[in-house]
Amino acid sequence: MRLPESEYDSNPTSPDFHPQASSSSLSPSPKANGHVANGYGNAINGSSKPPRSPVARVELPGAAIYDDSYIDREEYIRLVIQSLRDIGYIESAATLEAESGYVMETSRVAEFRRCILEGTWNEAEHALERLGVAEDDGLWEARFLISQQKYLEYLEAGKTALALHVLRNELAPLHTDPEQLHPLSSLIMCTDVADLRQKAGWDGAHFSSRRRLLVNLQSYIPSSLMIPPRRFVTLLDQARLHQISQCIYHNAPLTSRHFSLYADHTCDTDLFPRITTTILQVHSDEVWSLEWSHNGKFLATASKDKSVIIWSVGVYHPFAVGCLAWSLDDTILLSSSEQYIKMWNTESGICIRTIEAHTETVSALAWVPDGSGFISGSQDRKINLWGSDGKQRDSWGITAIRITDLAVTPDFTRLVAVGESAKDPTLPTPRGDSNTASTASRNGNNNPTPSAPRTPEHLMILSVSLGGQLTSVKISSDSQYALVNHAPDEIHLWDLFTGRLARKYTGQRQGRHIIRSCFGGVDGNFVVSGSEDGNVYVWHRDRAILLDVLTGHGSGSVNSVAWNPMNSQMFASCSDDFTIRLWEPLGGGADGESSSRLAHRMADDREHESEASGKGKGKSREPWVGEASCEHE
């Protein structure tokens, strides 16, 4: 919007403006009340007047910023003015307004903004009407938001009578659904300010609530009148996200070191983990499973040779070891062997407890996200919930599938279990309410099917039945996706929010063996899987493009892969060739700790610990191999 010519003569010259100075030498005006962001400060909201001549208005031909561009000059200049004000270049913004003839916002918008931020609510409603917001544009909804803020501020100030007046005479007439008013009316009973803020999800009049109100009111005012906050930055963020989506090898954290406005973003493929930097050769038989500790410093592996090795602590079972799970603080490692579950102290290698509650092979172990316990699943069709002390707390009873794997979403709302249909005509009728755990079974259709085994109250149930054999499941860090290995020769990505198949990944070989895949990379951008052909396969998660087939393992299946949770450029794989391989970029990773550095540090740590204990022989013979072990009784 153009600045009227008449305003030039009426605007006082800023005392800080020097016409001969360059833009970078202009001194910004003092911040109003400490606020400049988004044009919210009093001194920068249309009240900071452009300087009088010698700044002359520049008239340019056309409406676009370039002859071959579709970008409107007025919109562009107004966004630049907003950005300059946001970051504190107040005089530069005023100069640009004078030179271009465009203003960021009219005096009416500035007045409305001031009324909201200063809490002059009657004036705010009048200012809203002067902006031309009509009933069709949501005038009543906007008034409701203003009255709600007024109501909460009266309660905060202890003015209960005034708050009650607002509730009865302003909020109630504006809202047709009494059920929506009930939570607000119940706030009158709050005993103190902290209780009020907690129940209302509101931080008070003198914090950020008025600014959030202004953002919420923005949706009712045309953006051409009132520009959304930080609009230029939003556009740049959108451009960055688009560039990331086009970079199929993207594996860099969101820092200024990895992103520049001067050039389009692309990740160097040499920084992708595709080179074997370490081979761990201690197991004497097929290695079936592996898991990183949460701190990324230790790797646990389980083998057909009846051993679990925490590099560097070894523990032993009487049978081949199937699955592993670290506690959240990495002090306890769970392992399963046949129908037994063992809890190990990872520092001493001592078996804390042996649990025998299943009647068939325990096929899945998972700690719950709050660390209060863990869940076990078995081929006996049972899912049990255990406390962190190893005592059983609950059970789902008999499920409809012989469980091969399970996982709990990080937000602790869903349990996802996969397996084969029990095909038992004597299956008991499921017990409990309509809540169910997310399960995928082998019933031969792709439609969500109801299943209601008894569950703890905090877990939802959503049952999905699939054809084929399902061998493993992993959950994305945002709790939205489940990655399911689906024999033969497919990996499925399921959207847990919609209950629909989102992607398929193909190329690997899986027919007879249990293969465990994982998400990987800085944002879970990749899907990684072993294969019965002895290779490791890597896909781009969202585009389902096969990026690499990594060779190096010997004959037999690559059974499991695991990405280091603290190093986005390192993952591990284990194989029937008795080995574990660590994969990193050529020359080592750009972030985190390389395997060689980690190996030597771990060895030095163990030597230091042994010397401190008086033994003096703690350094391992090989850097990644520990000496401590404990026999199964």
Side-chain angles (χ1 to χ4, degrees), residues 238-255:
Q238 291 171 353
R240 175 179 54 84
L241 292 175
H242 173 72
Q243 292 176 23
I244 289 174
S245 70
Q246 300 302 304
C247 177
I248 59 177
Y249 282 96
H250 176 70
N251 194 27
L254 302 182
T255 65

Side-chain angles (χ1 to χ4, degrees), residues 18-33:
H18 305 285
Q20 301 301 319
S22 65
S23 297
S24 59
S25 67
L26 295 177
S27 302
S29 298
K31 299 178 182 179
N33 299 325

Side-chain angles (χ1 to χ4, degrees), residues 118-132:
E118 293 182 0
T120 55
W121 305 118
N122 292 334
E123 294 180 34
E125 290 193 18
H126 293 312
L128 183 66
E129 294 175 1
R130 287 196 296 271
L131 291 178

Side-chain angles (χ1 to χ4, degrees), residues 204-226:
H206 300 293
F207 292 92
S208 63
S209 66
R210 290 181 181 176
R211 294 180 182 276
R212 288 203 307 270
L213 172 62
L214 198 57
V215 171
N216 292 334
L217 291 170
Q218 185 95 40
S219 61
Y220 302 102
I221 302 171
S223 57
S224 59
L225 288 178
M226 188 173 181

Side-chain angles (χ1 to χ4, degrees), residues 70-372:
Y70 65 89
I71 298 176
D72 182 83
R73 179 186 292 114
E74 178 180 344
E75 291 186 357
Y76 176 78
I77 294 298
R78 291 177 66 200
L79 292 184
V80 172
I81 294 170
Q82 184 195 48
S83 297
L84 289 172
R85 289 181 174 179
D86 281 354
I87 60 180
Y89 296 114
I90 311 305
E91 292 294 346
S92 296
T95 300
L96 182 55
E97 284 186 327
E99 190 171 23
S100 67
Y102 300 119
V103 293
M104 188 189 89
E105 58 189 21
T106 66
S107 58
R108 287 184 177 181
V109 174
E111 176 66 11
F112 174 70
R113 189 191 302 276
R114 182 194 64 78
C115 292
I116 295 296
L117 295 179
E118 293 182 0
T120 55
W121 305 118
N122 292 334
E123 294 180 34
E125 290 193 18
H126 293 312
L128 183 66
E129 294 175 1
R130 287 196 296 271
L131 291 178
V133 180
E135 182 52 43
D136 292 344
D137 301 321
L139 179 61
W140 277 35
E141 289 87 345
R143 284 177 172 172
F144 184 87
L145 292 176
I146 293 173
S147 296
Q148 178 178 256
Q149 178 77 13
K150 186 197 310 187
Y151 170 72
L152 292 172
E153 291 193 13
Y154 278 148
L155 288 179
E156 182 185 45
K159 300 177 180 179
T160 307
L162 290 175
L164 188 60
H165 176 81
V166 172
L167 180 66
R168 291 174 175 173
N169 298 285
E170 297 183 25
L171 291 171
L174 289 171
H175 216 292
T176 57
D177 186 359
E179 291 298 321
Q180 298 295 324
L181 289 174
H182 179 71
L184 286 175
S185 61
S186 66
L187 296 176
I188 291 181
M189 306 303 295
C190 291
T191 56
D192 56 36
V193 171
D195 186 37
L196 168 69
R197 292 175 179 173
Q198 190 274 328
K199 290 183 178 179
W202 181 75
D203 66 355
H206 300 293
F207 292 92
S208 63
S209 66
R210 290 181 181 176
R211 294 180 182 276
R212 288 203 307 270
L213 172 62
L214 198 57
V215 171
N216 292 334
L217 291 170
Q218 185 95 40
S219 61
Y220 302 102
I221 302 171
S223 57
S224 59
L225 288 178
M226 188 173 181
I227 303 172
R230 303 177 65 179
R231 182 58 186 164
F232 223 140
V233 173
T234 298
L235 293 173
L236 293 175
D237 284 341
Q238 291 171 353
R240 175 179 54 84
L241 292 175
H242 173 72
Q243 292 176 23
I244 289 174
S245 70
Q246 300 302 304
C247 177
I248 59 177
Y249 282 96
H250 176 70
N251 194 27
L254 302 182
T255 65
S256 58
R257 185 165 64 92
H258 297 92
F259 291 91
S260 171
L261 296 179
Y262 298 136
D264 289 347
H265 167 74
T266 181
C267 285
D268 187 345
T269 56
D270 287 341
L271 296 179
F272 191 81
R274 63 176 73 188
I275 304 298
T276 298
T277 56
T278 303
I279 302 176
L280 309 177
Q281 304 181 75
V282 175
H283 285 292
S284 58
D285 211 329
E286 298 171 2
V287 186
W288 287 350
S289 184
L290 74 172
E291 290 286 342
W292 288 98
S293 60
H294 292 86
N295 62 19
K297 296 178 181 179
F298 302 98
L299 182 68
T301 57
S303 171
K304 186 179 179 181
D305 66 7
K306 308 176 185 179
S307 72
V308 172
I309 296 178
I310 304 176
W311 305 86
S312 55
V313 178
V315 295
Y316 295 89
H317 282 266
F319 308 107
V321 183
C323 49
L324 302 164
W326 290 85
S327 64
L328 267 63
D329 60 3
D330 295 326
T331 60
I332 298 174
L333 178 69
L334 303 175
S335 63
S336 69
S337 179
E338 296 297 328
Q339 69 268 33
Y340 301 100
I341 302 170
K342 285 184 173 290
M343 302 178 65
W344 303 95
N345 182 307
T346 58
E347 296 180 357
S348 66
I350 295 174
C351 180
I352 302 170
R353 182 184 292 269
T354 298
I355 301 169
E356 185 180 3
H358 291 282
T359 57
E360 294 187 41
T361 300
V362 175
S363 50
L365 295 167
W367 285 85
V368 296
D370 63 2
S372 62

